[in-house]
């Protein structure tokens, strides 16, 4: 039954992404920026809705009150990465447009990648590390000034359930460079949608949004250790059966009030 439902969902994704990709590319001839982003978010909501109806995958979100509320408030979202699900899910949850940092090869994927290439995202060449980070900072600064949040997966790749990847400091470096807070997010998507798996299982995915952590005056590596500690401790709380080791001590982040936003000088 799970295989049959997974086939139906894959077909749903396929038959919707082709016309959507074409519409996005054509619409981008006269529409760009945030209006085009919300057109893209519509297809992602179809994908998540299809997962709910066809696969029986539901989401339970906590911590929305931790998100900055000002219209132009900047933020860097640092998200646990276990499957494709959170890639599609995050734009459907967030009140601000998101800009993903991703490898440029994805823009060549038919229809989906073509549409992504028309959006205000940050695609980088990972073989050119220094230039890539400079591009992230330069583009990220411009996008953050428009109220567009930057989203990154600090582990860099999808991590199997119950495991921890190497947290890289690119996201916290960007936050420190621009003066915006970081928001750690834990996601238990591998419970129902494991990495590189075709067959998905019904169940509930927990999304826990942590308190915004100020970056001003912080060192990127130190800040990333705090983000890592929060996410990994939260993952053990949300999905304890996936972890056999003792839970790590969760650091209490330096909380930035949700109603606050960094000054314009930070951008």
């Amino acid at each position: 039954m799970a295989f049959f439902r997974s086939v139906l969902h894959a077909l749903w994704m396929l038959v919707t992404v082709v016309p959507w990709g074409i519409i996005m590319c054509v619409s981008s001839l006269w529409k760009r920026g945030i209006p085009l982003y919300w057109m893209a978010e519509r297809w992602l909501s179809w994908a998540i809705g299809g997962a709910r109806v066809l696969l029986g995958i539901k989401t339970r979100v906590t911590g929305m009150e931790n998100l900055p509320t000002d219209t132009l408030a900047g933020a860097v979202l640092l998200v646990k990465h276990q499957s494709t699900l959170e890639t599609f899910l995050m734009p459907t949850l967030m009140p601000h447009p998101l800009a993903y940092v991703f490898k440029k090869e994805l823009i060549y994927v038919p229809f989906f990648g073509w549409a992504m290439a028309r959006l205000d995202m940050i695609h980088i060449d990972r073989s050119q590390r220094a230039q890539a980070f400079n591009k992230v900072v330069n583009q990220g600064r411009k996008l953050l000034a428009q109220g567009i949040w930057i989203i990154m997966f600090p582990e860099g790749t999808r991590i199997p359930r119950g495991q921890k990847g190497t947290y890289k400091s690119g996201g916290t470096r960007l936050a420190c460079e621009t003066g915006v807070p970081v928001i750690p997010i834990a996601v238990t998507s591998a419970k129902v949608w494991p990495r590189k798996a075709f067959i998905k299982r019904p169940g509930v995915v927990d999304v826990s949004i942590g308190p915004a952590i100020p970056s001003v005056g912080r060192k990127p590596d130190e800040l990333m250790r705090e983000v890592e500690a929060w996410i990994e401790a939260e993952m053990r709380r949300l999905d304890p059966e996936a972890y056999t080791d003792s839970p790590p001590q969760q650091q209490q982040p330096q909380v930035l009030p949700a109603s606050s936003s960094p000054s314009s000088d930070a951008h």
Side-chain angles (χ1 to χ4, degrees), residues 67-189:
L67 296 173
T69 56
D70 292 352
T71 304
L72 293 179
V76 174
L77 309 184
L78 298 178
V79 185
K80 180 72 177 180
H81 200 15
Q82 290 191 326
S83 80
T84 304
L85 179 66
E86 56 267 13
T87 308
F88 292 170
L89 178 63
M90 288 301 151
T92 70
L93 299 178
M94 296 299 154
H96 282 234
L98 303 182
Y100 282 83
V101 178
F102 62 92
K103 57 186 180 181
K104 69 175 184 178
E105 290 81 1
L106 289 178
I107 67 176
Y108 303 117
V109 176
F111 302 105
F112 180 81
W114 300 343
M116 285 184 65
R118 310 305 295 170
L119 298 171
D120 289 332
M121 303 286 172
I122 306 174
H123 44 87
I124 59 174
D125 184 347
R126 290 185 175 179
S127 66
Q128 301 179 347
R129 297 175 66 98
Q131 295 90 329
F133 181 70
N134 289 336
K135 181 177 181 179
V136 170
V137 172
N138 292 334
Q139 288 190 230
R141 194 186 303 276
K142 294 176 183 177
L143 294 170
L144 288 165
Q146 300 172 46
I148 297 172
W149 293 348
I150 310 299
I151 179 170
M152 300 177 72
F153 301 109
E155 293 164 291
T157 188
R158 290 167 291 178
I159 303 298
R161 184 184 180 195
Q163 296 185 27
K164 179 176 75 71
T166 300
Y167 280 69
K168 302 175 180 65
S169 62
T172 51
R173 286 173 65 193
L174 172 62
C176 291
E177 288 276 353
T178 56
V180 302
V182 297
I183 300 176
I185 301 178
V187 184
T188 62
S189 54

Side-chain angles (χ1 to χ4, degrees), residues 188-243:
T188 62
S189 54
K191 292 170 65 176
V192 297
W193 189 325
R195 67 190 290 265
K196 299 181 180 179
F198 177 76
I199 299 178
K200 291 84 174 176
R201 307 286 180 182
V204 177
V205 173
D206 280 294
V207 178
S208 179
I209 302 168
I213 310 173
S215 64
V216 177
R218 304 292 300 275
K219 295 181 179 179
D221 289 342
E222 170 204 2
L223 183 55
M224 181 51 74
R225 286 194 295 271
E226 184 173 341
V227 169
E228 177 182 351
W230 189 91
I231 290 177
E232 292 302 320
E234 189 69 356
M235 290 299 298
R236 284 163 170 78
R237 185 185 73 81
L238 296 173
D239 191 12
E241 62 269 24
Y243 295 88

